[in-house]
Amino acid sequence: MLPSLTVPAGRPLPYRGTPALNLFMTVDAVGGIWQYGLDLAEELTRQGVGVTLAVLGPEPCQDQLRAARAIRGLALCPLGASLDWTALTPGEVEAAAALVAREAERAGADLIHLNSPALAAITGFCAPVVAVAHSCVATWWAAMRPGPLPPDLAWRASLVAEGYRRVDTLLCPTHAFAEATAATYGIAPPRVVPNGRRSAAARGPRIPAGAAASPFAFTAGRLWDEGKNARTLDRAAARMRLPLVAAGDLKGPNAAQFSPEHLRPLGRLSDQDVARWLAGAPIYASAARYEPFGLGVLEAASAGCALVLSDIPTFRELWDEAAIFIAPDDEAGFAHAIEMVAADPAIRARLGAEARSRAEGYTVEAMTAGVLDAYRAVLEAPPLRAGIPA
């Protein structure tokens, strides 16, 4: 039975068994937006929302496609269009936006959810638009480099700025990133809806953090992205007796790459493979200099891993008093903290328990409730439209 609906007076309710809302959502398979989109789509479909997932950028891997196809009722729509941050020209972004607009209309969308807000800058859509600022080149540059944006990034930031102004509502995953976004683009702070994660690690066996027979350190993410700052962890690994294992691509779709010398690279792993590593209760490290949220940290925390994190505003907001914090470029500090935690099972157990307790507040259900509230606010604004689950 469908959840209750809010509809305009005089408009009949949908027939039983039909979606209360027809949602068209863009994602990409390069990083955390894929996980965010799948987790959100799975929970939305459970609540009676019809979801079409439009995939921009590189084609998803086979394990990603299997995960998407396992979501009952989800329509997958690979577009093959450029991402705004990898496109070579504004024309490529314009073509991607036009394709999204056309497919959303073809799908009969009541609402469009853009995880690439720049697409809203250069086209109109058939339905209201909710966008999520997961990251952007301008805030990335501010965290990584001194001085103004170079021309190659400036035109991308201009599209993002216009997209932010044109959407019906804009969401962010943390208050810290919302404030950075508002300051960078001169807009009102976006609405904050923390991310959630439904991970294989969280559903797996709960191994006490101090119980690993051979402690090791682990990190995961886009290792090629300078913002993830894997180089600091690579230098830290040279100072440690403990192995430091890293999961993630070494080459990005924008030609960026990372060549580790001391940590042990595993390459890109499926969610299930990452979960198997996390089940060994490693010490999870992230030296990110730029991280609007950090789904990898959340997954590790859900598995009860002790956290050693860079001291940046987003990580402080999410994990204060549940992690050890080190300056992002302090490889000696990371090495010392990781080996100190590894040497003391009681500290590992306490940090792991605190991380898991904090992670229990960042659920897919809570994220979905926040996103649905945002959808509702847009759809109930004049002119009224079909309602959504309460």
Side-chain angles (χ1 to χ4, degrees):
M1 183 174 179
L2 286 174
S4 60
L5 303 173
T6 303
V7 297
R11 181 179 295 181
L13 291 174
Y15 290 107
R16 187 181 303 275
T18 61
L21 173 70
N22 191 2
L23 179 71
F24 191 90
M25 184 193 307
T26 65
V27 295
D28 67 73
V30 176
I33 290 176
W34 178 262
Q35 298 168 333
Y36 167 89
L38 253 60
D39 283 339
L40 180 58
E42 182 177 11
E43 187 62 25
L44 288 172
T45 57
R46 287 179 179 178
Q47 298 198 38
V49 176
V51 181
T52 298
L53 214 57
V55 186
L56 298 164
E59 184 177 344
C61 298
Q62 287 303 309
D63 61 280
Q64 292 175 311
L65 288 173
R66 283 193 297 271
R69 290 167 179 158
I71 300 175
R72 185 176 181 181
L74 177 66
L76 199 61
C77 180
L79 298 181
S82 297
L83 297 168
D84 60 283
W85 55 275
T86 62
L88 298 179
T89 66
E92 290 184 33
V93 184
E94 183 176 2
L99 181 58
V100 169
R102 184 168 66 248
E103 292 300 322
E105 186 169 11
R106 182 177 298 172
D110 300 309
L111 183 70
I112 295 167
H113 178 135
L114 295 179
N115 288 306
S116 297
L119 299 177
I122 46 183
T123 192
F125 290 97
C126 63
V129 176
V130 171
V132 183
H134 293 281
S135 65
C136 74
V137 294
T139 53
W140 182 94
W141 183 266
M144 300 300 297
R145 302 278 194 275
L149 282 166
D152 184 51
L153 297 185
W155 68 261
R156 303 171 198 272
S158 294
L159 288 180
V160 170
E162 183 61 22
Y164 286 168
R165 286 189 284 268
R166 292 186 61 177
V167 299
D168 292 276
T169 196
L170 180 65
L171 310 181
C172 265
T174 53
H175 292 280
F177 188 58
E179 291 167 5
T181 298
T184 299
Y185 292 98
I187 60 175
R191 183 171 183 158
V192 175
V193 178
N195 288 341
R197 185 78 174 100
R198 180 181 288 114
S199 67
R203 295 193 298 266
R206 294 195 168 190
I207 300 174
S214 301
F216 66 100
F218 185 82
T219 192
R222 299 192 304 268
L223 302 179
W224 53 265
D225 182 350
E226 282 186 74
K228 307 304 181 187
N229 198 23
R231 284 177 173 80
T232 288
L233 295 182
D234 191 43
R235 292 192 296 268
R239 297 170 173 263
M240 294 162 43
R241 295 183 298 275
L242 199 72
L244 199 165
V245 182
D249 288 321
L250 298 176
K251 295 183 179 180
N254 58 351
Q257 66 178 67
F258 167 61
S259 300
E261 297 180 7
H262 305 289
L263 58 76
R264 176 185 167 190
L266 299 174
R268 183 195 167 275
L269 300 182
S270 68
D271 283 357
Q272 291 73 23
D273 286 336
V274 169
R276 280 191 278 272
W277 280 96
L278 295 178
I283 298 149
Y284 188 91
S286 173
R289 294 175 62 192
Y290 176 78
E291 184 58 85
F293 185 86
L295 286 173
V297 178
L298 175 55
E299 185 162 4
S302 297
C305 297
L307 304 179
V308 178
L309 306 176
S310 52
D311 197 351
I312 58 175
T314 47
F315 284 164
R316 278 285 182 181
E317 176 183 334
L318 298 168
W319 305 107
D320 199 22
E321 299 184 357
I324 293 174
F325 293 94
I326 307 294
D329 295 322
D330 182 3
E331 66 263 24
F334 270 95
H336 174 75
I338 291 169
E339 293 210 314
M340 181 269 292
V341 174
D344 193 326
I347 291 177
R348 290 208 309 280
R350 178 175 60 81
L351 284 172
E354 289 173 351
R356 177 177 282 148
S357 177
R358 185 68 56 83
E360 289 173 354
Y362 303 124
T363 65
V364 170
E365 292 78 11
M367 174 181 72
T368 304
V371 171
L372 282 171
D373 283 344
Y375 291 174
R376 184 177 296 108
V378 169
L379 291 171
E380 290 183 351
L384 293 174
R385 296 174 181 269
I388 58 178

